[in-house]
Amino acid sequence: MNLRRERSLASDKMGFPCHRPDQVPVLLWLLLLILAPGREQSGTLPKAFLLLEPPWSRTFKGEKVKLTCKDDHSWVQGYVSWYNNGISLGSRPGTIQIDKSGYYTCKTPRSSLSDPVHVEFLSDWLILQASHPVFEGDDVTLRCLGKKEKKTYEKTFYKNKEEMRHHSQSEVTIHSVSMDNNEYHCTASGESVLGSWTETSKALKIQVQELFPQPVLRARPSQPTEGNPVNLKCETWLPPPRSYIWLRFCFFREDKVLEPGWSNSSELQIPTMWSEDSESYWCQAKTATPHIIKQSLRSQIHVQRIPVSDVNLEIQPPGDQLIEGGDMVLICSVAKGTGTIAFSWHREGTKRSLGRKMVRALSAELRIAAVREQDAGRYYCSADNIQGPILSKRIRVTPKIPASHPILTVKTPRALAVVGDVVELRCEAQRGSPPILYRYYHEDVILGTNSAPSGGGASFNLSLTAEHSGNYACEADNSLRAQRSEAVTLSVTVPVSRPVLTFNPAGPQAVVGDLLELRCEVQRGSPPILYWFYHEDVILGNISAPSGGGASFNLSLTTEHSGNYSCGADNGLGVQRSYMVTLNFTGQKDLPPELKYRSSHLGLSTSKVIHITVGFIGCLLSVSGLAATAYLVSYFRTQRKSGRLPATGTPSYSPKEHQEPSWSGPCSTDPHTPPHSEPPAVMEPQPVYSNVNPGDDNLVYSQIWSSQQTKGNPARSPRTHRRNEEPAVIYSELKKSQPEDTAGQAHEDPAENYENLPCAPSALDH
């Protein structure tokens, strides 16, 4: 009875219901089994493990022990394979009952073979028992038990034959056991009627199981490609009865700890692997309490390198949009390639590379700042990751050059630009990408445009007028920038027109000794203008007009100054001559108010009248004038003979009655030369004086009327005087014929005959 009670107490102490610190309640153990992660994914099935009931690996012969096979799951599905000393016992349920000694193992469908458990059934009187299962770091209870023990004896425990403790208790605890080969036994002693006695147990080796197996380092992928990540896993596991223990892990490359060091995770991801990372890797796993640490074997990881391929060069901005002065970016990329890639950039015709970069990327770029015209050419790049350089295709780069400030040149056919000339405006930009559009301006007013499709300059022809003097400029535009040239001044020289010669005073009262002003002026012509004054084609002098306009020449009259006058104007483009003007003047400065006469007999040659007559020289003594004069002479002679004329010989109109002289424009002897368009100077009406001898019957007077011509055809001019206008009367004295003139013709003294004949085209009214 006492023996059963002791066994019961021992069972209570060593069984699961006991709340020992090294054992787990059944419910918690089952919960840990449920939460424990499966390891099917690792490729290695976890080991099955055995539970004993009662939990002692040694007992007395004749008793029975229950064996239960467990795996990671809360319950075992299907049958379990059982083995005794390596001999299969067949497939049986998960729990069996045994009574024979041996090494028992089991295996479930979802686990590998368990560690063997040595169960002994002894016929000894004294046995030493150890609890089961025992894992590394556990506390183990040793019990020294006698067969059919009725009272307490003095018991002693030994380790490797050395006494551990000497007391009467039947149990002793060994803390944090390890997997070693220590042997334990115990002794019991007492007194009997026969005397004192001592019993010694059989030696016992504690069956300590691994708390967790040696870690195994696994890399996925096992041969990673350069530039890709790799996952490292430190594989180990805790048995379900000890799954509540926390494991910590650490990973190593060679002898260097990989970040982050010790952690609760059994996995580590290396984001990027490179060829230089091809080394040995290993891991460690440990528990905090108890302190158990284990490390894996070293695994060599070989990182594979992929050679570069499909090298491509990209230019930003594109080659046809690049503008001089801007930045150019050369981007070299590869479709495939791992590891450190050496990129380099080149331009054809240059030995040295433009740049070189070593990067762990599939692309790299090179920036060229402030591109110039000489940077044009064909560009390419290369990539190499120790497999040999691979070249890209070549791309032509031609920077567009904004148009520079153009230069405007004006080409004239002569030294001076003259009205009517065709000048060439040449505009040319020294630099600029074609096509270039040129615009031409005169005083900021556009004249025209033209284009240079291949670059260079362009020309614009302009026919000059007087209004084309001023500032000229041109503009070059190639859509990148419009540039304006400097202004060029062009002076257009206008040839002088035919000058007009006038006299001042303008009337017929000039006489010897007077100061006569000859005024020569052109209506148009660029200054400076040089004027010449002529008398009978003899140069009297010249005067310059620096600012244009007219010029005057003063002449002190002498008797030799009668005749034809003209002037010329020249501004370097040719001389223009005025029409000739005839000047006749009186020899006496003052005449008496009464009419003076002197005939050839009274010395008329020294005091004869000289009248100023301005007219066309070519019209003097014209045929019609001679005919009219002859008619008048004949008429007046007839009238005098018949007594119709007064004896005094005065005309029907006295000279005093007519104040307006005959004054017309100059006339040319050349019928193709037109008369000057300017009207003659307006003359103040003056009396016309004549020397009359009332007592001389040899004088005959003729009266000639002249009127103003109307505009248009002179032939259609009216031959009557205008209303309310006094006619201009010119008297001419003619010598009377002598009686001894047998031929019937009058003998006239050339020195005594003076005639004032009107100029054709003036019509004779009478």
Side-chain angles (χ1 to χ4, degrees):
M1 184 71 177
N2 292 335
L3 183 59
R4 290 177 185 158
R5 184 173 178 274
E6 289 176 2
R7 289 178 178 173
S8 177
L9 290 173
S11 177
D12 291 341
K13 291 180 180 179
M14 302 301 293
F16 286 110
C18 298
H19 299 284
R20 295 180 58 182
D22 58 339
Q23 295 181 349
V24 181
V26 176
L27 292 178
L28 178 59
W29 177 76
L30 293 175
L31 179 61
L32 292 173
L33 284 177
I34 297 173
L35 297 177
R39 278 175 282 275
E40 291 83 354
Q41 296 179 355
S42 67
T44 301
L45 294 176
K47 290 181 180 181
F49 61 92
L50 287 171
L51 296 177
L52 304 181
E53 182 60 35
W56 306 104
S57 59
R58 180 180 285 181
T59 187
F60 292 104
K61 194 172 184 178
E63 295 184 356
K64 295 184 181 294
V65 176
K66 286 184 179 181
L67 295 179
T68 302
C69 188
K70 291 287 186 181
D71 58 20
D72 278 354
H73 297 79
S74 58
W75 64 88
V76 176
Q77 295 180 354
Y79 285 89
V80 175
S81 298
W82 290 95
Y83 302 88
N84 181 17
N85 297 327
I87 299 173
S88 175
L89 300 177
S91 295
R92 298 184 181 186
T95 299
I96 63 173
Q97 195 173 42
I98 62 171
D99 56 4
K100 292 181 180 181
S101 297
Y103 290 89
Y104 288 87
T105 57
C106 71
K107 178 181 178 300
T108 69
R110 293 175 294 184
S111 69
S112 59
L113 191 66
S114 68
D115 290 333
V117 175
H118 188 212
V119 181
E120 292 181 286
F121 293 92
L122 300 178
S123 58
D124 297 343
W125 185 85
L126 184 67
I127 61 174
L128 180 62
Q129 295 178 313
S131 61
H132 184 84
V134 178
F135 297 96
E136 294 173 295
D138 283 355
D139 293 340
V140 179
T141 299
L142 297 179
R143 187 172 69 168
C144 189
L145 182 63
K147 188 176 182 180
K148 298 180 181 180
E149 184 178 347
K150 295 182 180 180
K151 62 178 181 179
T152 303
Y153 302 100
E154 184 178 353
K155 299 178 180 178
T156 303
F157 293 87
Y158 297 88
K159 176 182 179 182
N160 297 326
K161 299 180 180 182
E162 292 182 2
E163 184 178 342
M164 296 174 56
R165 183 179 297 177
H166 181 76
H167 53 69
S168 60
Q169 297 295 327
S170 299
E171 295 182 0
V172 66
T173 301
I174 301 175
H175 298 284
S176 187
V177 296
S178 62
M179 297 179 68
D180 53 32
N181 293 321
N182 295 325
E183 288 187 347
Y184 297 87
H185 74 275
C186 69
T187 62
S189 62
E191 297 289 337
S192 67
V193 293
L194 299 177
S196 61
W197 55 271
T198 300
E199 291 286 342
T200 302
S201 71
K202 183 180 179 180
L204 172 68
K205 288 185 177 181
I206 301 174
Q207 300 181 57
V208 180
Q209 301 182 67
E210 282 186 326
L211 180 61
F212 57 90
Q214 180 184 12
V216 176
L217 180 67
R218 300 187 185 277
R220 293 190 178 179
S222 59
Q223 292 185 341
T225 302
E226 247 187 341
N228 292 327
V230 66
N231 291 324
L232 301 179
K233 186 173 184 180
C234 192
E235 280 192 354
T236 187
W237 55 87
L238 292 167
R242 297 295 183 266
S243 59
Y244 59 87
I245 297 176
W246 292 102
L247 290 176
R248 293 176 64 79
F249 302 89
C250 187
F251 296 86
F252 300 85
R253 180 173 63 213
E254 297 296 341
D255 295 327
K256 296 180 181 179
V257 177
L258 299 178
E259 295 294 336
W262 287 100
S263 69
N264 294 328
S265 176
S266 62
E267 296 186 13
L268 175 69
Q269 184 184 62
I270 301 176
T272 309
M273 295 289 287
W274 306 108
S275 61
E276 53 266 32
D277 296 331
S278 297
E279 293 180 312
S280 63
Y281 292 78
W282 53 283
C283 69
Q284 286 183 342
K286 72 176 182 177
T287 60
T289 304
H291 185 70
I292 299 173
I293 184 169
K294 297 181 182 181
Q295 72 180 40
S296 69
L297 298 176
R298 294 182 179 235
S299 298
Q300 188 72 26
I301 298 179
H302 178 69
V303 181
Q304 294 182 339
R305 170 163 287 182
I306 299 176
V308 296
S309 62
D310 297 334
V311 182
N312 180 63
L313 177 64
E314 179 185 355
I315 298 179
Q316 293 182 352
D320 58 347
Q321 299 179 14
L322 184 64
I323 300 176
E324 185 185 41
D327 292 353
M328 178 173 64
V329 179
L330 306 177
I331 303 174
C332 192
S333 62
V334 296
K336 293 180 181 179
T338 58
T340 301
I341 302 177
F343 291 97
S344 61
W345 292 265
H346 309 267
R347 186 176 75 236
E348 280 188 347
T350 58
K351 295 182 179 179
R352 298 182 59 185
S353 65
L354 302 176
R356 183 179 176 86
K357 289 186 178 181
M358 305 280 289
V359 295
R360 286 177 174 174
L362 296 178
S363 66
E365 65 179 42
L366 176 70
R367 180 179 296 272
I368 300 178
V371 175
R372 299 169 298 171
E373 183 179 7
Q374 51 265 39
D375 292 327
R378 299 179 69 192
Y379 287 76
Y380 64 95
C381 70
S382 68
D384 182 15
N385 62 349
I386 316 180
Q387 302 293 327
I390 306 297
L391 304 182
S392 71
K393 293 182 179 179
R394 286 158 172 76
I395 298 179
R396 179 171 295 280
V397 173
T398 305
K400 287 190 173 181
I401 303 172
S404 61
H405 286 282
I407 298 175
L408 177 65
T409 56
V410 180
K411 296 181 180 180
T412 58
R414 63 187 93 187
L416 296 176
V418 182
V419 171
D421 286 350
V422 176
V423 299
E424 177 187 0
L425 305 179
R426 177 72 178 178
C427 189
E428 184 170 4
Q430 299 298 319
R431 301 179 70 248
S433 299
I436 303 177
L437 179 66
Y438 290 99
R439 302 181 184 91
Y440 302 86
Y441 297 88
H442 174 224
E443 302 294 351
D444 292 329
V445 177
I446 190 167
L447 296 173
T449 62
N450 52 23
S451 179
S454 302
S459 298
F460 182 82
N461 293 329
L462 180 65
S463 181
L464 295 180
T465 65
E467 292 76 17
H468 282 148
S469 293
N471 295 323
Y472 287 79
C474 69
E475 185 178 71
D477 186 3
N478 63 348
S479 300
L480 301 177
R481 187 168 56 202
Q483 296 280 15
R484 200 92 175 254
S485 71
E486 297 291 336
V488 176
T489 302
L490 176 64
S491 297
V492 179
T493 304
V494 181
V496 293
S497 60
R498 184 185 295 274
V500 176
L501 178 64
T502 57
F503 297 134
N504 186 24
Q509 66 272 33
V511 295
V512 173
D514 280 352
L515 185 65
L516 181 67
E517 177 188 3
L518 281 69
R519 178 72 177 176
C520 190
E521 185 172 5
V522 296
Q523 296 300 313
R524 63 181 182 277
S526 299
I529 302 174
L530 183 63
Y531 290 97
W532 285 273
F533 297 87
Y534 300 90
H535 173 226
E536 300 294 353
D537 292 331
V538 177
I539 297 176
L540 298 175
N542 61 71
I543 297 176
S544 177
S547 302
S552 298
F553 182 82
N554 294 326
L555 181 64
S556 180
L557 295 178
T558 65
T559 56
E560 290 79 12
H561 284 151
S562 293
N564 299 320
Y565 286 81
S566 64
C567 68
D570 185 14
N571 62 350
L573 301 178
V575 179
Q576 290 288 336
R577 195 81 171 260
S578 71
Y579 293 115
M580 288 188 178
V581 179
T582 301
L583 175 64
N584 294 321
F585 54 92
T586 59
Q588 290 180 327
K589 187 170 184 180
D590 295 319
L591 293 176
E594 69 274 6
L595 295 177
K596 297 179 180 180
Y597 76 96
R598 294 189 67 181
S599 63
S600 58
H601 302 286
L602 298 178
L604 185 59
S605 60
T606 61
S607 60
K608 57 187 175 183
V609 178
I610 301 175
H611 299 287
I612 297 176
T613 303
V614 180
F616 289 109
I617 298 175
C619 296
L620 292 175
L621 300 177
S622 63
V623 176
S624 58
L626 292 175
T629 303
Y631 172 79
L632 291 174
V633 170
S634 174
Y635 174 78
F636 282 111
R637 286 178 177 175
T638 305
Q639 291 294 326
R640 183 174 179 180
K641 289 178 180 181
S642 62
R644 295 180 182 177
L645 281 175
T648 59
T650 59
S652 59
Y653 292 94
S654 171
K656 295 182 179 181
E657 299 179 27
H658 303 283
Q659 305 292 324
E660 185 176 347
S662 173
W663 186 272
S664 61
C667 181
S668 175
T669 58
D670 186 1
H672 299 288
T673 302
H676 198 276
S677 60
E678 286 80 0
V682 178
M683 298 182 296
E684 181 182 355
Q686 298 292 334
V688 178
Y689 296 96
S690 178
N691 292 330
V692 180
N693 185 0
D696 190 355
D697 293 336
N698 294 327
L699 292 178
V700 178
Y701 290 90
S702 64
Q703 178 177 342
I704 301 174
W705 300 79
S706 72
S707 63
Q708 194 76 16
Q709 289 186 7
T710 61
K711 295 181 180 180
N713 190 352
R716 299 181 181 180
S717 300
R719 297 188 177 272
T720 58
H721 294 291
R722 294 178 183 176
R723 186 175 299 176
N724 300 326
E725 284 189 8
E726 289 293 335
V729 180
I730 300 176
Y731 293 92
S732 177
E733 59 179 354
L734 301 177
K735 191 81 176 283
K736 189 175 180 181
S737 60
Q738 299 295 329
E740 62 271 18
D741 191 359
T742 59
Q745 296 181 352
H747 292 277
E748 299 175 355
D749 185 1
E752 300 297 332
N753 293 332
Y754 299 95
E755 294 181 347
N756 286 339
L757 299 180
C759 172
S762 297
L764 296 178
D765 294 322
H766 296 281

